[in-house]
Every structure is written in structure tokens, then in C-alpha cells.
Amino acid sequence: QVQVVESGGGLVQPGGSLRLSCAASGNTITIINMYWYRQAPGKQRELVAGLISGGRTDYADSVRGRFTISRGNTEHTINLQMNSLKPEDTAVYYCMARSRNEAYWGRGTQVTVSS
């Protein structure tokens, strides 16, 4: 089993920045890729950014150029640097760690962009 925990959410004004962190623990040897998703009220969960094996990154069009996904200082940790935040970025942000056969989700962290 793999446990995933997110941190770093909060309230920020439009144009501001936040940094989210995610740490996976447990049977992490099985983890291949890690991702950030988000879900706004009344909407489906959507992919925000991914860190793919080999170091490749992938972003949703809505965040490309504003958000940056990166590896953390310890193994199986990732960060999401979010700049130029907009009200439409308001959502619960989830971290997901994927092995060959399983997807392990965290409980999410709330990000609210409002003046």
C-alpha cells in the first residue's frame, strides 16, 4: 500500500502564488509517476500536471506557463508551484501516485483564490 499526503493549500488573492507539496510513503518502490489533479465545486476532477518517469512533465492548457511541477527534496515527493493564480483555479487539489496497477490518492488540499 501507498499513502499520499498533500499540504500547502490556503487562501490567496488573484495574481498571488502558492506552493503545494505531496509526499508518498509505504510501498513506494512500485510508484512510476505522480500527478496533481483538482476538482472545483460542481465539476469533474481534472488533471493539472504530471511528473512522468524520466523527468518529463505535462500540464493542462489552463495552467501551462503559470504552474510548475517538480520533484521534492526527498524521494517520492513532488511540489506544485502555482503563480498568477486566478479565481477559476479555486478547487480542492489532489496528489496521485500511480503504480503499474493502482492509483493512490491523497485526501486533497483546498486552494481558494479570492479578493
Side-chain angles (χ1 to χ4, degrees):
Q1 279 287 359
V2 173
Q3 295 78 43
V4 176
V5 178
E6 306 96 339
S7 61
L11 173 64
V12 63
Q13 292 187 343
S17 298
L18 276 177
R19 185 179 179 87
L20 305 182
S21 296
C22 170
S25 61
N27 192 23
T28 56
I29 193 171
T30 64
I31 294 174
I32 300 173
N33 302 323
M34 295 183 73
Y35 304 86
W36 286 101
Y37 282 74
R38 68 186 181 187
Q39 187 167 18
K43 294 187 177 181
Q44 290 189 331
R45 192 172 297 188
E46 63 175 357
L47 176 66
V48 175
L51 189 59
I52 315 302
S53 61
R56 187 170 64 87
T57 57
D58 193 22
Y59 296 95
D61 289 342
S62 59
V63 307
R64 187 172 289 112
R66 300 188 296 122
F67 291 11
T68 302
I69 189 171
S70 62
R71 295 194 184 282
N73 292 329
T74 58
E75 196 171 11
H76 299 113
T77 63
I78 60 171
N79 300 310
L80 185 68
Q81 179 66 41
M82 305 184 294
N83 298 328
S84 301
L85 282 161
K86 305 174 181 180
E88 51 264 43
D89 294 318
T90 295
V92 178
Y93 284 69
Y94 297 91
C95 180
M96 187 266 275
R98 175 168 285 283
S99 66
R100 186 178 301 275
N101 298 313
E102 298 283 344
Y104 302 96
W105 293 89
R107 294 187 175 186
T109 185
Q110 177 71 45
V111 172
T112 303
V113 185
S114 175
S115 55

